[in-house]
Amino acid sequence: MTNTLWTTLALIGLGTAVGAQDSNSLSIEGESIVTEVAAPAHMENVDTIYSGWRFRSAETQALEMDDFDNPAFVFVEQGMDLWDKVDGAAGKACSSCHENIEDFAGLRTQLPRVDDGELVTMENLINECRTDRMEAEPWKWSKGKMTAMTGLIGVQSRGMPMNVAIDGDAAPFWEKGKELYYTRVGQLDMACSNCHEDNYGMMIRADHLSQGQINGFPTYRLKNAKLNSIHGRFKGCMKNIRATPFKEGGDEFKALELYLASRGQGLSVETPSVRN
Amino acid sequence: MKLTRRNLLILSSAGAAATAMGSLPAFATLTDDEIGKLTGGADLGEGAITITAPEIAENGNTVPIEVDAPGAVAITLFADGNPVPNVATFNFGPLAASRSASTRIRLASTQNVVAIAKMEDGSFQKASANVKVTIGGCGG
Amino acid sequence: MASGVKPRVKVPKSAAAGEAITIKTLISHKMESGQRKDDDGNVIPRSIINRFTAEFNGENVIDVTLEPAISTNPYFQFEAIVPESGEFKFTWYDDDGSVYDTSKKIKVQ
């Protein structure tokens, strides 16, 4: 499989395209980012995992190397405004309880996780704060305010390796996610694995298929010029294979998120990444 | 030829290629009109402008472009395959350290990006770069 | 359109007199081109930033005319000379009449 990746890179000339640095090694604001690492033991069919950054053109790659050039930071800054904004009946802002946003360093690497028998994502934790402590309306899963906040909290973990728990309480959720990953659905009768495991590195029309890693989410996509949530991306994939998407924030997508996060164990958090 | 979706795609891309070569001048005329308005029909020199653009743009929504024209007072960019060819004009002031600028532009399809520079002596310069715009695989 | 519009600029904090410095600017804006249609087939009216200027101590560095072909969240990079310590002023002009500006000080050593 590795050979296929590099053959395709060479064939379409991405390997030789102009760029500020070797397109195989990513450094963001001087910090080195792991974009390639041995696959975790539980992955039976893949030897090496790669960040989606490796599959993009030199120009798109360059956008992620500098926080000013990265348009996602427009939204991260909006997240900072929201962080200090009082909302809800309790008269609180995020910053009323959480002193430093930096204290969230590492959180992104461990999510989703099981809390009291329930699988929770960052969106769940944010909305729990909003409804229980701030007495405010929950935010919609993939709308601008939520992705700005998940981007802001996520970037605190940038450069740290993905490290979700998949044993113990998490095991049944992880098994469910794995089953979904390999289950064919939709009119095109395709599973996640058909593109992102069997054929990564190949071209799907003019697009370079990645391994479908989620270590860079929420991600700024050139296609829609905004931050995209993990579940929003799942939904897009399901529509593309002509399947009826599961609900954002529902049990299926949460389980799939856990399984996909575990397929990226060891890759650096790249939040907020830039993709096609 | 049977009119299938694939053949239609081939036809339309052939059309786009022909446009780029100038044998189907519908778009080119629009751009030429705009260039004429800008220059008043003056002769266009070549060699003073450098355009840096990707050969293949991953997404037409955000294509990074850099223009550099030492000695220019203004540079205007056109995209000859867009419904409106005008893209931007950079007017350099007394405190500009170079006659260069970078931005990100939208390209509707594979086409030429054309730069016209007005030089300090009042003459005009032209340069162009072809950018191939790919259609994405998923949700394209 | 005035909601959620936020300028960002990157200017070095200090420079040598007469040195060429690189400036990057970006403003969050949809740049609605006027070419798109909504779900009912009606054209979504154009709404863009149509002009951007950068000045240093009141003197012009660059004055840009923008058309709808400029991408969402307009980005510019250019070079300026700073003869003395002072302040850059960046101004964006919206189709709807709104004007957004931001300033950055720079020290010349």
Side-chain angles (χ1 to χ4, degrees), chain A residues 1 29 34 62 66 83 102 123 126 153 160 165 191 221 239 241:
Chain A
M1 257 348 275
E29 298 284 315
V34 175
D66 176 306
W83 175 259
E102 291 87 2
E123 288 87 349
I126 290 169
I153 295 174
M160 301 170 78
R221 295 189 68 191
K239 283 183 182 169
I241 56 168

Side-chain angles (χ1 to χ4, degrees), chain A residues 137-264:
Chain A
E137 288 293 310
W139 281 331
K140 291 220 161 54
W141 199 272
S142 295
K143 290 286 188 189
K145 285 178 178 162
M146 181 62 94
T147 53
M149 189 56 71
T150 56
L152 174 68
I153 295 174
V155 73
Q156 311 305 323
S157 306
R158 191 169 64 182
M160 301 170 78
M162 286 299 294
N163 185 26
V164 287
I166 62 173
D167 51 3
D169 287 355
F173 297 103
W174 184 82
E175 289 292 347
K176 182 181 175 181
K178 181 176 181 182
E179 192 188 324
L180 284 166
Y181 186 84
Y182 287 105
T183 303
R184 288 174 179 268
V185 289
Q187 285 182 327
L188 299 189
D189 198 28
M190 288 169 82
C192 307
S193 60
N194 294 138
C195 284
H196 298 291
E197 181 169 283
D198 302 343
N199 286 298
Y200 69 84
M202 308 287 273
M203 302 300 284
I204 182 161
R205 293 205 284 158
D207 202 359
H208 200 197
L209 271 175
S210 74
Q211 287 184 338
Q213 295 287 357
I214 57 171
N215 57 309
F217 278 79
T219 186
Y220 181 91
R221 295 189 68 191
L222 301 179
K223 173 186 159 160
N224 55 20
K226 62 170 185 147
L227 284 180
N228 292 262
S229 73
I230 295 168
H231 292 195
R233 189 68 193 90
F234 292 168
K235 214 168 133 182
C237 265
M238 290 192 79
K239 283 183 182 169
N240 290 337
I241 56 168
R242 314 286 182 261
T244 305
F246 297 117
K247 200 171 152 278
E248 291 182 347
D251 291 344
E252 295 88 355
F253 276 171
K254 285 200 289 185
L256 188 59
E257 180 177 339
L258 174 63
Y259 179 65
L260 282 182
S262 82
R263 288 176 69 97

